[in-house]
Amino acid sequence: MDIHQILLKYWGYNAFRPMQEDIINAALEGNDTLALLPTGGGKSICFQVPAMAKEGICIVVSPLIALMKDQVENLTKRNIKAVAIYSGMTKREIDITLDNCVYGNIKFLYISPERIETEIFKVRFEKMNVNFIAIDESHCISQWGYDFRPSYLNIGKLREIKPNIPFIALTATATPDVVIDIQKQLQFKKENALQKSFERKNLAYTVLNEEDKYNRVLKILKNVPGTSVIYVRSRKKTKEIALFLIKNGVSADFYHAGLSNEERTLKQSNWINNITRVIVSTNAFGMGIDKPDVRSVIHIDLPDSLEAYFQEAGRGGRDEQKAYAVLLFEEADRIDLEQRIVNSFPEIDVIKKVYQSLANFFQIPIGSALNESYSLNIIDFSQQYNLEVYTVYNCLRFLEKEGYLLLSESNHNASRIKIEIKKDDLYEFQVKKPKFDLFLKTILRSYTGLFENYAKIDEFEIAKRMKTTKDKVVKALQYLNHIEVISYLEQTNLPQLTYLTERLDIKDVKISAKHYHDRKEIAVKKMESVIYFATAKHKCRSEILLSYFGEKDVFRCGVCDVCIERNKLELSDVEFSSVSDQIKKIVKSDALPITQVVNKIDGVREDKIIKVVQWLMENDKLISNEENLLEWKK
């Protein structure tokens, strides 16, 4: 089937978005391809369509469980067979899923980068008929990236097993260094990065200096109709701001990773369907959510990096209609961000202490736990060992970056069951234990494939069908699991901690001092870029972002707060640049009075020159010294 027919049949679109077709054709020609598309640019289509056009299975390496589940669900709705392997699944579930990828007709296997190093995966991977390997969020492979994950470095090793399978790497945020590094780490046969400009002409970036942020948010929402996302750093603040907005007549709700799956699903659904106008969230919100008509994205706190800001702000205006990305900033925010960077690098001794405490908490002996997952309540753990929650979280992230363990995001793993005895034996059991007959019949009618695979179940739904309580259903399932008629895996909302190496003696846990300091240096540079973006008064916000991502010859957007001030001068860009450059040359070596500066510039009206001088002074480029002479600020 032709790629346009596939797009229409499965996705219902008549045409590809800009760059998608080029990326797909490059992959189908057998080339390793890096696709750089901004948030909302339709990255998934770039590997899903070519995978559908070729025989075999596409392996998709993805770092986020929520994104994997979301994409598997979306593909399943389109009658495309897709499965995922993630932390929280048992060895047996993984076994069955991988067998189906080898011998069944599965089209997409989503897998975390940590899992591709396991023996159980490598043995099956060798037997699979693979058409493509897609690497989502591929910036994670680069230590220069804003979300480096060492497990991504293992992806290139898949070439040793299947050297001729093309790689399709995808990201929405990569600086020039990262673009080069991704291709190098993935062992591209030749460089091939296809990039759509990150420019968003319909999105107006604005930075507002504001101490009373809550009331400023109200003003913005009053002036900009339509749905909005407000990003904050703390879970507590999400609720606080949502309640403040509700009290002031704005339909709002809050969202963070600590909520139950049911709560998150409901809040998300209400916002997507315009029942709730504003969602106030931590950065847990937005991944995999494609709502095109978001009219404003407001950041109340400074993000850690421009990559994170660009991705979050980019959730506004995906329908290509006018939208606003507003960053509220006050001087205290700079201090908060600096402190956050310091706090995110705990002392090496503290990181090791947390590693040892985890082993005690889960009672894991030395030499065991390789690839095993544990449900971790970080608050309980922190209290038991008298540690700050934020410190524990950052220690875990560091142990993750050193490749010792993986902390998955807080995520809902639904209950699953599988029947462990043959059909004849089950029938015999139902005859001998009639009180379980109706219960088992209800389950068999409600879910299919239980003799071959694990199936997700809903205990509450079973209880409704049987006119009983959820507790009674759970007890029955636990009993059947105990006597080995079924395997029953109960749901959890807790983050999963997976050991990527066997548990080591603390003296064998090595934290590289060089890596530690290199990463701190990278984090500080990223922080400085954020502060520059927030405090710059003379350079277009869009230009700053595009330059950061390596785009050259960019022009000012004309719609950000800096450009709007510039527009008031009633000078063309050429005139402004010419006058500004001349003023700089004139006063750089000698301080002069304004009249002499104006007289030295030819071919431009005096009133226009004075406007440029005023603008340069207001934006701290020109200063007037004690003798009232103009100097260029160094």
Side-chain angles (χ1 to χ4, degrees), residues 236-406:
K236 185 182 168 196
K237 230 194 253 187
T238 62
K239 190 172 183 180
E240 204 177 89
I241 296 169
L243 291 173
F244 170 79
L245 292 174
I246 291 163
K247 277 180 191 168
N248 285 278
V250 178
S251 163
D253 204 347
F254 64 96
Y255 185 104
H256 56 72
L259 299 167
S260 72
N261 186 61
E262 290 78 8
E263 286 175 304
R264 279 189 280 171
T265 302
L266 180 63
K267 287 168 186 276
Q268 208 168 287
S269 169
N270 285 345
W271 181 74
I272 285 169
N273 294 308
N274 298 320
I275 296 162
T276 304
R277 180 187 168 197
V278 179
I279 200 96
V280 188
S281 175
T282 59
N283 61 6
F285 185 77
M287 296 301 272
I289 297 167
D290 191 7
K291 183 169 171 60
D293 59 346
V294 178
R295 300 275 66 89
S296 62
V297 178
I298 304 168
H299 280 75
I300 283 184
D301 300 311
L302 285 177
D304 292 338
S305 67
L306 285 183
E307 287 96 332
Y309 180 71
F310 183 76
Q311 214 166 32
E312 288 160 11
R315 296 191 173 115
R318 290 188 183 182
D319 55 4
E320 307 206 340
Q321 302 301 309
K322 183 79 181 201
Y324 296 85
V326 184
L327 174 62
L328 300 181
F329 174 74
E330 59 172 318
E331 203 50 43
D333 294 338
R334 182 202 295 258
I335 298 156
D336 286 347
L337 181 56
E338 286 168 353
Q339 193 55 49
R340 267 203 329 261
I341 298 300
V342 170
N343 292 345
S344 62
F345 285 84
E347 294 296 324
I348 289 175
D349 287 349
V350 178
I351 297 170
K352 289 186 171 187
K353 181 190 172 186
V354 166
Y355 182 87
Q356 180 63 50
S357 301
L358 283 168
N360 299 341
F361 187 68
F362 293 118
Q363 299 186 318
I364 302 169
I366 289 168
S368 63
L370 173 64
N371 292 322
E372 286 181 11
S373 296
Y374 300 83
S375 295
L376 176 66
N377 186 318
I378 293 180
I379 294 168
D380 287 356
F381 172 76
S382 303
Q383 285 172 348
Q384 188 166 324
Y385 291 93
N386 199 23
L387 293 158
E388 290 285 331
V389 173
Y390 191 70
T391 303
V392 169
Y393 178 80
N394 284 307
C395 287
L396 292 172
R397 286 296 177 215
F398 225 93
L399 288 164
E400 186 175 86
K401 284 182 165 64
E402 289 293 318
Y404 290 113
L405 47 81
L406 170 70

Side-chain angles (χ1 to χ4, degrees), residues 421-435:
I421 59 178
K422 292 176 184 167
K423 286 183 183 177
D424 292 349
D425 295 336
L426 183 68
Y427 177 72
E428 196 179 315
F429 175 80
Q430 286 170 265
V431 171
K432 283 182 183 171
K433 299 265 189 179
K435 70 175 184 176

